[in-house]
Amino acid sequence: MRAAGLGGAAGRLVRGKATRDEDVRDKRLDRAWDAGDPTNQCGATEHGCLGGIAVIEQYVVDLQEVDETQVAVVGGKGAHLGGLSRIEGIRVPAGFCVTTDAFRRIMAEAPSIDDRLDELSHLNPDDRDGIRTLSAEIRRTIEGIALPDDLAAAITHALAQLGEQAAYAVRSSATAEDLPTASFAGQQDTYLNVMGPAAVLRHVSRCWASLFTERAVTYRLRNGFGHRTVDMAVVVQRMVFPHAAGILFTADPVTGNRKVATVDAGFGLGEALVSGLVNPDVFKVRDGGIVARTIAAKQRAVHALPAGGTQEVAIAPERQEQPALTDAQVMRLVRLGRRIEAHFGRPQDIEWCLVDDDFQIVQSRPITTLFPIPESGDQENHVYVSVGHGQMMTDPMKPLGFSMWQLTAMVPMHEAGGRLFVDVTPRLASPASRAGLLEVMGRGDPLIRDALETVLDRDDFVPSLPDAGPGGPPAGGASAPIEADPAIVTELIERSQVSIAALGRDIRTKTGPALFDFLLEAFEEHKRVLGDPLNFQAIMAGMDATWWLNDKLQEWLGEKNAADTLTLSAPGNVTSEMGLALLDVADVIRPHAEVVAFLQGVEDEGFLDELAKLAGGTEARDAIEAYLDLYGMRCVGEIDITRPRWRERPTTLVPAILDNVRNFEPGAAERRFEQGRQKAQKKEQDVLARLRDLPDGDRKADEAKRMIDQVRTFIGYREYPKYGIVSRYFVYKQALLEEAERLVQADVLSEKEDVFYLTFQELHDVVRSNQVDDRLIRRRKDAFRSYHALTPPRVLTSDGEAVTGAYRRDDVPDGALVGLPVSAGTIEGRARVILDMADADLESGDILVTTFTDPSWSTLFVGIAGLVTEVGGLMTHGAVIAREYGLPAVVGVEQATRLIRDGQRIRVHGTDGYIEILP
């Protein structure tokens, strides 16, 4: 077999030293096998051998000789083009790839680049000046390297096979490009209509250098790709001169719907669309028909010049509003796209050209922005609601995290994109349960309700089924009446504490497979405690009373969100107590200047041991330790068992402690709680007095009093079950990490945190077999990293459509950001946009703006004046604690952290649910 079908000049054998590392030899042999020529039958002259086997460095390979498995040889673009060329009925312009072997040889010609790469890897992605300077130096160095004669000969020989004087497209093809988890779209360079061997060689060098454009370097830094882990191949293809060109998405890139294909089309080369020079015609196709079309006024196009290069040209006025494609061509193109999608096994972003009524495909890559669809195991329609939006944690979870939540949850859950979803299709299909579901969802998060109603409006997606029996809970929740008796809360907390203590005691003796058997039983106890009917009644009693008070007091007194004041400083709220307790820690630390100075420089997690060496340090350490004994199992994103807990990473608390030292006076916790209690008591007296003045006032006042007692008895308990869950999780985690440490000692795992990338059952299997699939762990790590770039939808369908709800309101000022009012009052102040609690640096009067807040964030709530979040509902943790502390709060504000800039002055209307950005 000839190397790549292009003759002996396309391959080169190199002499290997017998002392070379086994890994190097294996990689070279793998490359030879991948090329289909492991026995040196490529027509090249043998230049040496390695361990008795010839080692091949291929510099050029024909597109038709490769497929999508050979990304390491020809890069993502080249591999996909090779795969495309093998699909029946798909035409791909002829061409070849200059392989990554050639790139590595060129890089080896300039050892100085290695030092520059070290410097580059240490830069912050936001250091634009540093990236600009270093990347320009590297590009100049690469472009200045003369191509070795044999490498240049391999390329020119391949050009001669295709037509030396033809026009070519010379295109970058990096090994980290067009991947399922990262597209790198537009990060490296492409050159069109390149003519003549000398020009092609020059542009190959420019493509190599484009691996270090500023945008490519920044992209790699932001997405966790090392600069040395990416190699560059170059695709050289015969140029096509199309009548029209554009992009086909085999799934709707905006909604994610996998059944809707979108075609963007314009005249001339596709460069006009990609560069944004013109607005394209847009066709949407579903179920074999065009369901929407927009024909744009296409005033300009990009055409190839006879002597090489391209230029913009004006489109004749009579042609500007003509469709670039006929309907028949659109449908034919979509059928080709579906064939390509089937070949690659996932939705594709396809670049196409139309030449003489014939489509040629010049690129296809996965659409990496689509949110994955939960696996259902059937072909039926499904509607999924996000768990993360209800739990105030929309970040991706690692496999051990989501599998543990699935095993301990009260309802079945489905994973996709590292997030969990509940399938609500059966409840939507039943008229009896549908109304109750929509009511509860609407009270919690109006955007979810609106999204569900949007799906229901499509009559054919969720068929209405006859009621088979009792429906779901009625509007406003479902619980039997319960007496407002504090003893009920006391009993529930005691039950939980006894169960957790037994768990901690019994798990200590369990190791190996026996530990996993024990945990499966423990999960049943976990669910038994959560599923206790009295537990559910107590939770719903506080929520029902809140809703009743807000509804009735608005109806009777015209007062919005009256319950927000009535719940101030409600007793027994473990989350609000956690925030106030950190004020008490600050009181212990504040008098000791040496301790405060030490904490300002703390970075090492062992700082608690160092405190005792300082004046006042023993007291400070004891106060922090006591706090960790009560709350050390908590952390940001605590529903994911793999997240580091405060007990494991106590430095997380230091910024909040220092803020409290700076912003508060001694005794602030007790004063704050008492002020809230008195304000709630005064509000109660005022409301009851006003009600008694109404017609039938005594009855109304008596009903309101009963509900006020109920809300103050039970609304604090609303936070306790979550505290119990994370307390159990910390016990589970400590036992599993001890098991992971044994696996590390036995050389089964490289590091104990690798278990986080296995599901619970997979980890069980590893412990039984003492064997692990390292490649699976690597794939899981890559996938988890990619999931951070995805925005989880509140509602997702089995078609892949992310359904976005809307606030149906016309009572807000123009330009205001709309959300859900969850804590009454109006506050004006400086916005502090904080995405990581560890970065908090708050002053008194600041308004916290963030993506979501779970209970761990309540340590910051004592120091802020208001709250704005992108995620949340009326009864999520941030809303409950905001009301307890009397903070005006608006949640569910779409893109709040992007639309509000850090440091801007804003006004939060917590009663009416909107935010004004002030001049």
Side-chain angles (χ1 to χ4, degrees):
M1 183 180 77
R2 295 166 57 201
L6 293 168
R12 176 171 176 260
L13 298 178
V14 295
R15 181 177 302 279
K17 295 179 181 178
T19 57
R20 279 196 179 184
D21 188 277
E22 290 288 331
D23 286 344
V24 174
R25 180 172 68 204
D26 290 345
K27 288 176 184 174
R28 291 186 179 280
L29 291 176
D30 285 346
R31 197 179 304 136
W33 281 105
D34 283 345
D37 192 17
T39 56
N40 187 24
Q41 298 175 18
C42 63
T45 304
E46 183 170 341
H47 199 77
C49 67
L50 193 65
I53 302 177
V55 177
I56 302 170
E57 279 191 342
Q58 278 190 302
Y59 291 151
V60 173
V61 58
D62 191 282
L63 275 178
Q64 293 188 336
E65 300 283 341
V66 298
D67 61 26
E68 57 271 24
T69 66
Q70 293 168 271
V71 172
V73 179
V74 294
K77 187 179 285 111
H80 277 79
L81 284 167
L84 284 166
S85 68
R86 294 165 178 255
I87 305 173
E88 185 179 352
I90 303 298
R91 292 196 59 192
V92 177
F96 60 89
C97 294
V98 182
T99 69
T100 54
D101 277 339
F103 172 76
R104 284 189 289 271
R105 184 175 177 192
I106 291 299
M107 293 290 281
E109 298 282 333
S112 64
I113 291 178
D114 212 44
D115 295 333
R116 296 288 183 268
L117 292 181
D118 284 337
E119 294 179 55
L120 209 56
S121 65
H122 289 101
L123 290 180
N124 186 294
D126 296 321
D127 184 358
R128 299 175 65 179
D129 290 338
I131 292 172
R132 182 182 301 115
T133 300
L134 275 174
S135 61
E137 287 181 23
I138 295 172
R139 291 197 305 275
R140 284 194 298 271
T141 302
I142 293 173
E143 290 186 37
I145 298 172
L147 267 65
D149 291 344
D150 57 337
L151 174 52
I155 297 171
T156 54
H157 178 79
L159 285 170
Q161 301 287 93
L162 292 175
E164 207 168 71
Q165 298 308 312
Y168 290 91
V170 183
R171 314 171 70 194
S172 304
S173 180
T175 53
E177 181 175 299
D178 296 351
L179 303 177
T181 55
S183 73
F184 279 82
Q187 302 305 312
Q188 287 86 220
D189 290 343
T190 285
Y191 301 95
L192 301 177
N193 204 29
V194 179
M195 304 181 73
V200 170
L201 292 174
R202 186 167 62 253
H203 284 86
V204 167
S205 290
R206 293 177 71 182
C207 282
W208 286 330
S210 76
L211 187 62
F212 299 99
T213 61
E214 292 170 46
R215 60 185 183 273
V217 167
T218 302
Y219 189 99
R220 287 197 294 275
L221 287 171
R222 291 195 189 282
N223 287 276
F225 287 86
H227 301 300
R228 288 185 178 84
T229 65
V230 184
D231 291 329
M232 179 68 84
V234 180
V235 176
V236 181
Q237 281 180 287
R238 285 288 295 259
M239 189 73 186
V240 294
F241 303 97
H243 160 75
I247 302 168
L248 161 64
F249 297 96
T250 64
D252 190 313
V254 177
T255 69
N257 195 318
R258 299 335 192 241
K259 293 185 177 179
V260 176
T262 302
V263 176
D264 290 2
F267 293 123
L269 294 169
E271 192 67 15
L273 271 62
V274 174
S275 64
L277 181 65
V278 298
N279 291 324
D281 296 341
V282 180
F283 303 87
K284 290 190 179 293
V285 177
R286 177 170 184 154
D287 298 331
I290 297 174
V291 294
R293 63 165 56 76
T294 302
I295 307 303
K298 300 170 289 296
Q299 297 178 344
R300 305 189 70 75
V302 174
H303 285 176
L305 292 169
T310 61
Q311 71 172 9
E312 295 178 21
V313 298
I315 302 292
E318 63 273 13
R319 289 189 62 219
Q320 289 179 6
E321 296 193 17
Q322 291 181 2
L325 296 177
T326 67
D327 285 2
Q329 288 170 334
V330 169
M331 297 306 302
R332 180 152 47 97
L333 176 60
V334 170
R335 286 194 293 272
L336 293 175
R338 292 297 181 206
R339 196 177 302 169
I340 294 169
E341 178 183 66
H343 175 84
F344 289 117
R346 55 176 52 92
Q348 297 288 300
D349 166 355
I350 299 165
E351 295 181 22
W352 55 268
C353 296
L354 180 67
V355 184
D356 298 328
D357 197 35
D358 188 22
F359 286 105
Q360 298 205 35
I361 306 301
V362 295
Q363 187 165 334
S364 184
R365 56 177 167 242
I367 307 175
T368 59
T369 56
L370 298 177
F371 200 86
I373 305 171
E375 293 184 9
S376 65
D378 59 39
Q379 299 301 312
E380 302 298 320
N381 289 344
H382 294 270
V383 182
Y384 302 98
V385 170
S386 166
V387 173
H389 284 79
Q391 290 294 332
M392 300 296 282
M393 211 292 277
T394 55
D395 290 345
M397 300 169 71
K398 296 186 180 76
L400 185 62
F402 65 68
S403 67
M404 291 286 282
W405 193 261
Q406 286 172 310
L407 286 166
T408 54
M410 301 301 294
V411 296
M413 294 186 179
H414 306 262
E415 181 272 336
R419 280 79 168 190
L420 290 171
F421 295 85
V422 173
D423 186 353
V424 297
T425 318
R427 295 193 63 183
L428 286 177
S430 167
S433 59
R434 182 187 306 146
L437 176 68
L438 292 174
E439 176 69 13
V440 172
M441 290 290 180
R443 285 191 179 276
D445 187 338
L447 293 178
I448 291 180
R449 174 172 183 154
D450 190 76
L452 292 174
E453 288 177 333
T454 299
V455 175
L456 288 170
D457 286 343
R458 302 164 188 167
D459 294 334
D460 59 338
F461 195 84
V462 181
S464 186
L465 301 177
D467 293 320
S479 57
I482 186 171
E483 184 182 354
D485 182 359
I488 294 173
V489 172
T490 303
E491 179 187 348
L492 286 167
I493 291 174
E494 287 177 353
R495 288 185 195 176
S496 177
Q497 290 175 339
V498 167
S499 178
I500 293 169
L503 170 67
R505 182 183 63 248
D506 296 343
I507 204 170
R508 294 192 189 105
T509 60
K510 306 298 189 294
T511 61
L515 169 65
F516 289 83
D517 294 337
F518 171 82
L519 283 172
L520 289 173
E521 293 177 6
F523 297 161
E524 293 307 309
E525 167 66 6
H526 181 129
K527 289 190 282 189
R528 187 196 65 76
V529 171
L530 280 181
D532 183 336
L534 188 61
N535 178 56
F536 184 70
Q537 285 177 298
I539 293 171
M540 291 307 303
M543 295 169 66
D544 284 340
T546 301
W547 292 330
W548 189 97
L549 287 166
N550 280 337
D551 290 345
K552 290 298 184 181
L553 295 183
Q554 182 165 9
E555 176 188 341
W556 293 338
L557 299 176
E559 186 169 342
K560 287 185 178 179
N561 301 330
D564 295 357
T565 306
L566 293 167
T567 55
L568 286 171
S569 297
N573 187 319
V574 68
T575 305
S576 62
E577 289 169 356
M578 180 172 68
L580 295 174
L582 205 61
L583 286 174
D584 292 335
V585 173
D587 285 352
V588 175
I589 291 170
R590 190 179 293 106
H592 306 292
E594 193 176 351
V595 172
V596 173
F598 171 78
L599 290 177
Q600 288 169 342
V602 157
E603 292 182 359
D604 184 77
E605 298 300 340
F607 76 94
L608 290 172
D609 295 331
E610 299 297 315
L611 276 176
K613 302 174 184 177
L614 308 174
T618 300
E619 296 94 320
R621 181 198 61 196
D622 291 348
I624 295 173
E625 286 282 4
Y627 185 87
L628 292 172
D629 287 343
L630 286 174
Y631 307 112
M633 77 294 290
R634 311 217 79 154
C635 67
V636 174
E638 61 192 8
I639 68 170
D640 182 352
I641 196 174
T642 72
R643 291 286 190 104
R645 312 282 134 175
W646 290 343
R647 172 57 79 181
E648 297 168 311
R649 196 173 290 174
T651 54
T652 307
L653 292 172
V654 171
I657 293 172
L658 291 173
D659 282 348
N660 290 348
V661 168
R662 183 176 65 249
N663 295 331
F664 293 92
E665 296 295 326
E670 185 177 351
R671 282 195 308 276
R672 183 164 193 147
F673 185 83
E674 181 58 23
Q675 288 166 359
R677 191 189 66 79
Q678 291 183 11
K679 191 173 180 180
Q681 189 176 47
K682 184 178 178 181
K683 182 69 173 179
E684 176 182 336
Q685 294 167 351
D686 173 66
V687 164
L688 296 178
R690 289 159 60 198
L691 286 174
R692 288 193 179 98
D693 289 338
L694 299 176
D696 198 19
D698 288 342
R699 179 188 63 81
K700 292 174 179 174
D702 289 345
E703 287 186 19
K705 172 60 176 169
R706 183 168 56 83
M707 286 299 181
I708 291 170
D709 290 345
Q710 184 167 308
V711 80
R712 292 197 64 80
T713 300
F714 294 113
I715 198 63
Y717 181 74
R718 163 73 178 79
E719 294 293 297
Y720 195 87
K722 183 76 169 289
Y723 177 79
I725 290 171
V726 296
S727 297
R728 291 175 185 279
Y729 267 30
F730 195 36
V731 177
Y732 303 154
K733 181 180 185 179
Q734 290 171 308
L736 290 173
L737 284 179
E738 288 177 9
E739 204 60 42
E741 184 59 43
R742 283 188 277 274
L743 292 170
V744 171
Q745 296 302 320
D747 291 327
V748 177
L749 293 177
S750 299
E751 52 188 15
K752 63 182 181 180
E753 286 79 12
D754 282 351
V755 299
F756 295 162
Y757 297 92
L758 300 171
T759 66
F760 179 84
Q761 186 56 56
E762 289 167 346
L763 178 54
H764 192 178
D765 293 341
V766 169
V767 169
R768 273 200 300 250
S769 67
N770 261 3
Q771 293 180 325
V772 69
D773 185 347
D774 291 328
R775 292 170 301 178
L776 173 65
I777 291 175
R778 286 197 298 271
R779 287 198 304 271
R780 293 273 177 80
K781 288 180 177 180
D782 289 342
F784 177 73
R785 184 169 53 241
S786 73
Y787 292 156
H788 281 280
L790 300 175
T791 300
R794 283 175 166 83
V795 173
L796 179 68
T797 74
S798 50
D799 286 349
E801 183 178 4
V803 188
T804 304
Y807 292 106
R808 310 294 178 180
R809 295 172 54 187
D810 55 9
D811 59 343
V812 297
D814 291 342
L817 307 180
V818 185
L820 177 66
V822 296
S823 187
T826 300
I827 192 70
E828 182 179 316
R830 179 180 68 158
R832 291 309 318 273
V833 180
I834 298 172
L835 302 181
D836 185 340
M837 186 177 146
D839 297 332
D841 181 15
L842 296 163
E843 299 288 346
S844 180
D846 283 347
I847 297 170
L848 174 62
V849 181
T850 190
T851 311
F852 59 80
T853 63
D854 61 9
S856 66
W857 285 74
S858 66
T859 56
L860 302 183
F861 281 25
V862 295
I864 60 176
L867 175 69
V868 177
T869 68
E870 295 180 344
V871 175
L874 188 64
M875 285 298 169
T876 47
H877 302 278
V880 172
I881 304 309
R883 290 194 292 273
E884 291 255 345
Y885 287 168
L887 304 175
V890 181
V891 302
V893 182
E894 294 280 85
Q895 299 188 29
T897 58
R898 300 179 189 177
L899 298 174
I900 300 173
R901 295 196 308 274
D902 187 53
Q904 278 186 317
R905 288 196 68 77
I906 62 174
R907 185 179 297 127
V908 177
H909 295 263
T911 304
D912 296 312
Y914 64 90
I915 298 99
E916 293 178 282
I917 299 177
L918 304 176

Coordinates of all heavy atoms in Angstrom, one line a residue, residues 760-800:
F760 N -22.1 5.4 41.8 CA -22.1 4.6 43.0 C -21.9 3.1 42.6 O -21.1 2.4 43.2 CB -23.3 4.8 43.8 CG -23.4 4.0 45.1 CD1 -22.7 4.4 46.3 CD2 -24.1 2.8 45.1 CE1 -22.8 3.6 47.4 CE2 -24.1 2.0 46.3 CZ -23.5 2.4 47.4
Q761 N -22.7 2.6 41.7 CA -22.6 1.2 41.3 C -21.3 0.9 40.7 O -20.7 -0.2 40.9 CB -23.8 0.9 40.3 CG -23.9 -0.6 40.0 CD -24.0 -1.5 41.3 OE1 -24.9 -1.3 42.1 NE2 -23.1 -2.5 41.4
E762 N -20.8 1.8 39.8 CA -19.4 1.5 39.2 C -18.3 1.5 40.3 O -17.4 0.6 40.2 CB -19.1 2.6 38.2 CG -20.0 2.6 37.0 CD -19.9 3.8 36.1 OE1 -19.4 4.9 36.6 OE2 -20.3 3.8 35.0
L763 N -18.4 2.3 41.3 CA -17.4 2.3 42.4 C -17.6 1.0 43.2 O -16.6 0.4 43.5 CB -17.6 3.5 43.3 CG -16.7 3.6 44.5 CD1 -15.3 3.5 44.1 CD2 -17.0 4.9 45.3
H764 N -18.8 0.6 43.4 CA -19.0 -0.7 44.0 C -18.3 -1.8 43.2 O -17.6 -2.7 43.8 CB -20.5 -1.0 44.1 CG -20.9 -2.1 45.0 ND1 -22.3 -2.5 45.2 CD2 -20.2 -3.0 45.7 CE1 -22.3 -3.5 46.0 NE2 -21.1 -3.9 46.3
D765 N -18.5 -1.8 41.9 CA -17.8 -2.9 41.1 C -16.3 -2.8 41.2 O -15.6 -3.8 41.2 CB -18.3 -2.7 39.6 CG -19.7 -3.0 39.4 OD1 -20.3 -3.7 40.3 OD2 -20.3 -2.5 38.4
V766 N -15.7 -1.6 41.2 CA -14.3 -1.4 41.3 C -13.8 -2.0 42.7 O -12.8 -2.7 42.7 CB -13.9 0.1 41.2 CG1 -12.4 0.3 41.6 CG2 -14.2 0.6 39.8
V767 N -14.5 -1.7 43.7 CA -14.1 -2.2 45.0 C -14.1 -3.8 45.0 O -13.3 -4.4 45.6 CB -15.0 -1.6 46.1 CG1 -14.8 -2.4 47.5 CG2 -14.7 -0.2 46.3
R768 N -15.1 -4.3 44.4 CA -15.2 -5.8 44.3 C -14.1 -6.4 43.5 O -13.6 -7.5 43.9 CB -16.6 -6.2 43.8 CG -17.7 -6.3 44.8 CD -18.9 -7.2 44.3 NE -19.4 -6.6 43.0 CZ -20.6 -6.1 43.0 NH1 -21.4 -6.0 44.0 NH2 -21.1 -5.6 41.8
S769 N -13.8 -5.8 42.4 CA -12.9 -6.4 41.4 C -11.4 -5.9 41.5 O -10.5 -6.5 41.0 CB -13.4 -6.1 40.0 OG -13.3 -4.7 39.7
N770 N -11.2 -4.8 42.2 CA -9.9 -4.1 42.3 C -9.4 -3.8 40.9 O -8.2 -3.8 40.7 CB -8.9 -5.0 43.0 CG -8.7 -4.6 44.5 OD1 -9.4 -3.7 44.9 ND2 -7.9 -5.2 45.2
Q771 N -10.3 -3.4 40.0 CA -9.9 -3.0 38.7 C -10.8 -1.8 38.3 O -11.9 -1.7 38.6 CB -10.2 -4.1 37.6 CG -9.3 -5.3 37.8 CD -9.5 -6.4 36.8 OE1 -10.7 -6.6 36.4 NE2 -8.5 -7.1 36.3
V772 N -10.1 -0.9 37.5 CA -10.8 0.3 37.1 C -10.5 0.6 35.7 O -9.4 0.3 35.2 CB -10.5 1.5 38.0 CG1 -9.0 2.0 37.8 CG2 -11.4 2.7 37.8
D773 N -11.4 1.2 34.9 CA -11.2 1.6 33.5 C -10.7 3.1 33.6 O -11.5 4.0 33.7 CB -12.5 1.5 32.8 CG -12.3 1.8 31.3 OD1 -11.3 2.3 30.9 OD2 -13.3 1.5 30.5
D774 N -9.4 3.3 33.4 CA -8.8 4.6 33.4 C -9.3 5.5 32.3 O -9.5 6.7 32.5 CB -7.3 4.5 33.4 CG -6.7 4.0 34.6 OD1 -7.2 4.2 35.7 OD2 -5.6 3.3 34.5
R775 N -9.6 4.8 31.2 CA -10.1 5.6 30.0 C -11.5 6.2 30.3 O -11.8 7.3 29.9 CB -10.1 4.8 28.8 CG -8.7 4.4 28.2 CD -8.8 3.3 27.2 NE -9.5 2.1 27.6 CZ -9.8 1.1 26.9 NH1 -9.4 1.1 25.6 NH2 -10.4 0.0 27.4
L776 N -12.3 5.4 31.0 CA -13.6 5.9 31.4 C -13.5 7.1 32.3 O -14.2 8.1 32.1 CB -14.4 4.8 32.1 CG -15.8 5.2 32.7 CD1 -16.7 5.5 31.6 CD2 -16.3 4.1 33.6
I777 N -12.6 7.1 33.2 CA -12.4 8.2 34.1 C -12.0 9.4 33.4 O -12.5 10.5 33.6 CB -11.5 7.9 35.3 CG1 -12.1 6.8 36.2 CG2 -11.0 9.1 36.0 CD1 -11.2 6.3 37.3
R778 N -11.0 9.2 32.4 CA -10.6 10.4 31.6 C -11.7 11.0 30.8 O -11.9 12.2 30.7 CB -9.4 9.9 30.7 CG -8.1 9.7 31.4 CD -6.9 9.7 30.4 NE -7.0 8.6 29.5 CZ -6.5 7.4 29.7 NH1 -5.9 7.1 30.8 NH2 -6.6 6.5 28.7
R779 N -12.5 10.1 30.2 CA -13.7 10.6 29.4 C -14.7 11.3 30.3 O -15.2 12.4 29.9 CB -14.4 9.4 28.7 CG -13.6 8.8 27.5 CD -14.5 8.0 26.6 NE -15.2 6.9 27.3 CZ -14.7 5.7 27.5 NH1 -13.5 5.4 27.0 NH2 -15.4 4.8 28.1
R780 N -14.9 10.8 31.5 CA -15.8 11.5 32.4 C -15.3 12.9 32.8 O -16.1 13.8 32.9 CB -16.0 10.6 33.6 CG -16.8 9.3 33.3 CD -18.3 9.5 33.4 NE -19.0 8.3 33.0 CZ -19.2 7.3 33.9 NH1 -18.7 7.3 35.1 NH2 -19.9 6.2 33.5
K781 N -14.0 13.0 33.0 CA -13.4 14.3 33.4 C -13.6 15.3 32.2 O -13.9 16.4 32.5 CB -11.9 14.1 33.7 CG -11.7 13.4 35.1 CD -10.2 13.3 35.4 CE -10.0 12.6 36.8 NZ -8.6 12.5 37.1
D782 N -13.3 14.8 31.0 CA -13.5 15.7 29.8 C -15.0 16.1 29.7 O -15.2 17.3 29.4 CB -13.0 15.0 28.6 CG -11.5 14.8 28.5 OD1 -10.8 15.5 29.2 OD2 -11.1 14.0 27.7
A783 N -15.9 15.2 29.9 CA -17.3 15.5 29.8 C -17.7 16.5 30.8 O -18.4 17.5 30.6 CB -18.1 14.2 29.8
F784 N -17.3 16.2 32.1 CA -17.7 17.1 33.2 C -17.2 18.5 32.9 O -17.9 19.5 33.1 CB -17.1 16.6 34.5 CG -17.4 17.5 35.7 CD1 -18.6 17.6 36.2 CD2 -16.3 18.3 36.2 CE1 -18.9 18.4 37.3 CE2 -16.6 19.1 37.3 CZ -17.9 19.1 37.8
R785 N -15.9 18.7 32.4 CA -15.4 20.0 32.1 C -16.3 20.7 31.0 O -16.6 21.9 31.1 CB -14.0 19.9 31.6 CG -13.3 21.2 31.3 CD -11.8 21.1 31.2 NE -11.5 20.1 30.1 CZ -10.8 19.0 30.3 NH1 -10.3 18.7 31.5 NH2 -10.5 18.1 29.3
S786 N -16.7 19.9 30.0 CA -17.5 20.5 29.0 C -18.9 20.9 29.4 O -19.5 21.8 28.9 CB -17.6 19.5 27.8 OG -18.5 18.4 28.1
Y787 N -19.4 20.2 30.4 CA -20.8 20.5 30.9 C -20.9 21.9 31.6 O -22.0 22.5 31.6 CB -21.2 19.5 32.0 CG -21.5 18.1 31.4 CD1 -21.4 17.0 32.2 CD2 -21.7 17.9 30.1 CE1 -21.6 15.7 31.7 CE2 -21.9 16.6 29.5 CZ -21.9 15.5 30.4 OH -22.1 14.3 29.9
H788 N -19.8 22.4 32.0 CA -19.8 23.8 32.6 C -20.2 24.8 31.6 O -20.7 25.9 32.0 CB -18.4 24.1 33.2 CG -18.2 23.5 34.5 ND1 -18.6 23.9 35.7 CD2 -17.5 22.3 34.9 CE1 -18.3 23.2 36.7 NE2 -17.5 22.2 36.2
A789 N -20.0 24.6 30.3 CA -20.3 25.6 29.3 C -21.8 25.5 28.9 O -22.3 26.4 28.2 CB -19.5 25.3 28.1
L790 N -22.5 24.5 29.4 CA -23.9 24.4 29.1 C -24.8 25.0 30.1 O -24.6 25.0 31.3 CB -24.3 22.9 29.0 CG -23.5 22.0 28.0 CD1 -23.9 20.6 28.1 CD2 -23.8 22.5 26.6
T791 N -25.9 25.7 29.6 CA -26.8 26.3 30.5 C -28.0 25.3 30.7 O -28.7 25.1 29.7 CB -27.3 27.6 30.0 OG1 -26.2 28.5 29.8 CG2 -28.4 28.3 30.9
P792 N -28.3 24.8 31.9 CA -29.4 23.8 32.0 C -30.7 24.5 31.9 O -30.9 25.6 32.5 CB -29.2 23.3 33.4 CG -28.4 24.4 34.1 CD -27.6 25.0 33.1
P793 N -31.6 24.0 31.1 CA -33.0 24.6 31.0 C -33.8 24.2 32.2 O -33.7 23.2 32.9 CB -33.5 23.9 29.7 CG -32.9 22.6 29.7 CD -31.5 22.7 30.3
R794 N -34.8 25.1 32.5 CA -35.8 24.8 33.5 C -36.7 23.6 33.1 O -37.0 22.7 33.9 CB -36.7 26.0 33.8 CG -36.0 27.0 34.7 CD -36.9 28.3 34.8 NE -36.4 29.2 35.9 CZ -35.5 30.1 35.8 NH1 -34.9 30.2 34.6 NH2 -35.1 30.8 36.8
V795 N -37.0 23.6 31.8 CA -37.9 22.6 31.2 C -37.2 22.1 29.9 O -36.8 22.9 29.1 CB -39.3 23.1 31.0 CG1 -40.1 22.0 30.2 CG2 -40.0 23.4 32.3
L796 N -37.2 20.8 29.8 CA -36.5 20.1 28.6 C -37.4 19.0 28.1 O -38.0 18.3 28.9 CB -35.2 19.5 29.1 CG -34.3 18.8 28.0 CD1 -33.8 19.8 27.0 CD2 -33.1 18.1 28.7
T797 N -37.6 19.0 26.8 CA -38.4 17.9 26.2 C -37.5 16.8 25.6 O -36.3 17.0 25.4 CB -39.3 18.4 25.1 OG1 -38.5 18.7 23.9 CG2 -40.0 19.7 25.5
S798 N -38.1 15.7 25.3 CA -37.4 14.6 24.7 C -37.0 14.8 23.3 O -36.2 14.1 22.7 CB -38.3 13.3 24.8 OG -39.6 13.5 24.3
D799 N -37.5 15.9 22.7 CA -37.0 16.4 21.4 C -35.7 17.2 21.5 O -35.1 17.6 20.5 CB -38.1 17.2 20.7 CG -39.2 16.4 20.1 OD1 -39.1 15.2 20.1 OD2 -40.2 17.1 19.7
G800 N -35.3 17.4 22.8 CA -34.1 18.2 23.0 C -34.4 19.7 23.1 O -33.5 20.5 23.3

